[in-house]
């Protein structure tokens, strides 16, 4: 089911699947993609995890703002989404741009990560 949350000055589109109370995995897509690229992984992971796939700012169904985007801004979007969903700690999987966001998020907010998986 697709949802939206108010995060860091935009509406962020995300999906939330899997059992309530399970460990959380956040999936962050690559440039010019959206959360639908993760459908095969969501199906497999949601058997054991609560899975959040989201559209990065300016992609898919998430809002866009004028001006340049920094990795710090995009990492803050992840933090704002976790806060909006009342999630203290999550596993993070990022592909391409999503991996770059994950690096920034880990450097700035490592205490919020259970693990960090970066894919090229």
């Amino acid at each position: 089911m697709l949802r939206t949350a108010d995060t860091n000055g935009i509406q962020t589109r995300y999906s939330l699947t899997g059992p309530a109370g399970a460990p959380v995995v956040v999936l962050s897509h690559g440039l010019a993609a959206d959360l639908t690229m993760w459908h095969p992984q969501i199906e497999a992971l949601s058997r054991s995890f609560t899975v959040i796939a989201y559209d990065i700012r300016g992609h898919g169904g998430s809002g866009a703002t004028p001006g340049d985007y920094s990795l710090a801004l995009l990492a803050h979007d992840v933090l704002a989404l976790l806060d909006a969903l009342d999630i203290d700690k999550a596993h993070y999987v990022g592909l391409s741009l999503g991996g770059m966001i994950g690096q920034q998020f880990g450097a700035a907010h490592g205490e919020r990560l259970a693990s960090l998986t970066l894919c090229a």
Side-chain angles (χ1 to χ4, degrees), residues 45-110:
L45 288 169
S46 64
R47 294 181 196 124
S48 302
F49 295 91
T50 298
V51 181
I52 299 167
Y54 77 101
D55 286 337
I56 295 170
R57 177 184 294 255
H59 292 72
S62 287
T65 52
D68 296 334
Y69 296 174
S70 66
L71 290 174
L73 173 68
L74 299 178
H76 191 84
D77 290 346
V78 175
L79 179 65
L81 181 59
L82 291 177
D83 287 348
L85 299 177
D86 199 28
I87 295 168
D88 291 327
K89 190 169 276 207
H91 300 277
Y92 182 97
V93 179
L95 175 71
S96 187
L97 174 59
M100 294 168 62
I101 295 166
Q103 289 178 65
Q104 179 71 35
F105 186 82
H109 308 287

Side-chain angles (χ1 to χ4, degrees), residues 6-24:
D6 292 325
T7 57
N8 201 23
I10 62 166
Q11 287 284 302
T12 298
R13 182 177 79 158
Y14 69 96
S15 66
L16 180 67
T17 58
V24 176

Side-chain angles (χ1 to χ4, degrees), residues 89-93 112-117:
K89 190 169 276 207
H91 300 277
Y92 182 97
V93 179
R112 301 290 297 267
L113 292 174
S115 67
L116 177 60
T117 303

